[in-house]
Amino acid sequence: MTTPDPRTIAVLATAGFPVDVLTDEQLEVFGSLSEEELVLLLDIKARLDDVEPEVQAHGAVAGGALF
């Protein structure tokens, strides 16, 4: 097991990812993201956050399925 990059984890935490509840294995995966992967992940999260009420409504109707 490798040590996750604390800078990457800090960026994710600042962006609103619940890093405090992730397992060590999950932190390792997130902490090993390349710069390009991190940028992509943050972009996807930002776009999902922009439509959050709509996504939440689908989750309530579809039992949490994200489509």
Side-chain angles (χ1 to χ4, degrees):
M1 186 160 110
T2 61
T3 303
D5 184 341
R7 295 169 296 183
T8 300
I9 301 303
V11 168
L12 292 170
T14 300
F17 283 85
V19 297
D20 55 328
V21 298
L22 298 176
T23 67
D24 289 342
E25 292 81 8
Q26 291 169 326
L27 285 171
E28 183 179 348
V29 170
F30 279 113
S32 67
L33 294 175
S34 69
E35 185 67 27
E36 294 81 13
E37 291 170 325
L38 180 60
V39 168
L40 178 61
L41 183 60
L42 293 173
D43 180 58
I44 291 169
K45 182 178 185 319
R47 288 189 280 157
L48 287 172
D49 287 349
D50 286 345
V51 295
E52 185 174 356
E54 183 179 334
V55 171
Q56 288 178 344
H58 286 297
V61 172
L66 179 61
F67 54 92

